[in-house]
Amino acid sequence: MARPRMFEEDRAIEAAMRAFWTAGYEATSTQDLCAATGLGRSSIYNTFTSKRELFEKALRRYAGERNDRLAELMDGDLPIKEKVRTVLWWAVDPDAGDPAGCLVVNSLVELAPRDPHFAELLRRDTEKRLGILRAAIETARSRGELDSGADPCALAGFVVATVTGLRVTARGGADRAALEAIAKTALGVF
């Protein structure tokens, strides 16, 4: 008879996600994951099979949560400039307790160039995010909030690239004033 799990898998994935977000995939050791989750090495491997599988679950959780949050905002009634401002300020003023940067961006830099599986997973995630933004920008353009010549694909890519740059800049240690100046400049496009 199998022993019941002595922990909640979701909590372990959340804790591992934060460990990977803070240090990256390669730099996060199994011991780091044990410390973060409160699980022993055997519990981690019995539940998640490998560090790689745990990382993938953590990455999917992170991306899914961020995309759900973005979709909810973009489906709302705010004008597009306020929606984009909110997205930019998520990068300028992240939730208290969040590690600097972005797990997706960090993984794009660390893993995508040499791991085809994660490169594809991250490519699909980026496409999803671009699609959410593009649809909101198309709607805003049709409502007259943007010039009729505005390119929704280019603007969506611009927002994603700006947020990516803000996350990298924040991880590099930039202060809030520097991040805010970048975000304000980008917001001028809208």
Side-chain angles (χ1 to χ4, degrees), residues 116-182:
H117 174 74
F118 284 114
E120 178 60 18
L121 188 153
L122 292 161
R123 186 197 62 75
R124 285 192 316 262
D125 174 66
T126 299
E127 287 300 315
K128 181 172 186 161
R129 193 171 315 97
L130 286 167
I132 293 166
L133 286 162
R134 185 179 60 246
I137 292 166
E138 286 170 351
T139 299
R141 186 179 66 177
S142 72
R143 292 180 181 163
E145 294 177 45
L146 297 169
D147 183 83
S148 63
D151 181 347
C153 291
L155 287 172
F158 174 73
V159 172
V160 168
T162 302
V163 170
T164 298
L166 284 166
R167 297 291 190 176
V168 170
T169 302
R171 189 156 177 98
D175 64 15
R176 181 177 164 70
L179 299 174
E180 198 169 310
I182 294 165

Side-chain angles (χ1 to χ4, degrees), residues 61-82:
R61 169 180 291 222
Y62 179 92
E65 288 173 352
R66 291 333 185 252
N67 287 334
D68 289 348
R69 184 179 180 193
L70 178 64
E72 183 178 343
L73 172 66
M74 292 297 143
D75 287 341
D77 294 330
L78 291 172
I80 194 66
K81 188 167 187 165
E82 285 305 306

Side-chain angles (χ1 to χ4, degrees), residues 12-164:
I13 292 169
E14 177 74 22
M17 180 187 79
R18 292 189 164 280
F20 288 125
W21 186 358
T22 300
Y25 177 75
E26 292 294 334
T28 303
S29 68
T30 304
Q31 187 55 45
D32 295 331
L33 293 170
C34 291
T37 62
L39 302 174
R41 183 180 297 267
S42 63
S43 292
I44 287 176
Y45 286 109
N46 287 336
T47 303
F48 301 108
T49 310
S50 66
K51 174 182 160 179
R52 182 179 171 87
E53 181 185 321
L54 178 54
F55 175 76
E56 183 169 341
K57 285 182 184 239
L59 181 60
R60 286 181 185 274
R61 169 180 291 222
Y62 179 92
E65 288 173 352
R66 291 333 185 252
N67 287 334
D68 289 348
R69 184 179 180 193
L70 178 64
E72 183 178 343
L73 172 66
M74 292 297 143
D75 287 341
D77 294 330
L78 291 172
I80 194 66
K81 188 167 187 165
E82 285 305 306
K83 290 176 180 179
V84 172
R85 182 190 186 290
T86 299
V87 171
L88 294 170
W89 257 256
W90 287 341
V92 169
D93 195 20
D95 293 339
D98 279 355
C102 169
L103 182 57
V104 167
V105 173
N106 299 348
S107 300
L108 277 167
V109 172
E110 180 183 8
L111 296 175
R114 60 184 174 73
D115 189 313
H117 174 74
F118 284 114
E120 178 60 18
L121 188 153
L122 292 161
R123 186 197 62 75
R124 285 192 316 262
D125 174 66
T126 299
E127 287 300 315
K128 181 172 186 161
R129 193 171 315 97
L130 286 167
I132 293 166
L133 286 162
R134 185 179 60 246
I137 292 166
E138 286 170 351
T139 299
R141 186 179 66 177
S142 72
R143 292 180 181 163
E145 294 177 45
L146 297 169
D147 183 83
S148 63
D151 181 347
C153 291
L155 287 172
F158 174 73
V159 172
V160 168
T162 302
V163 170
T164 298

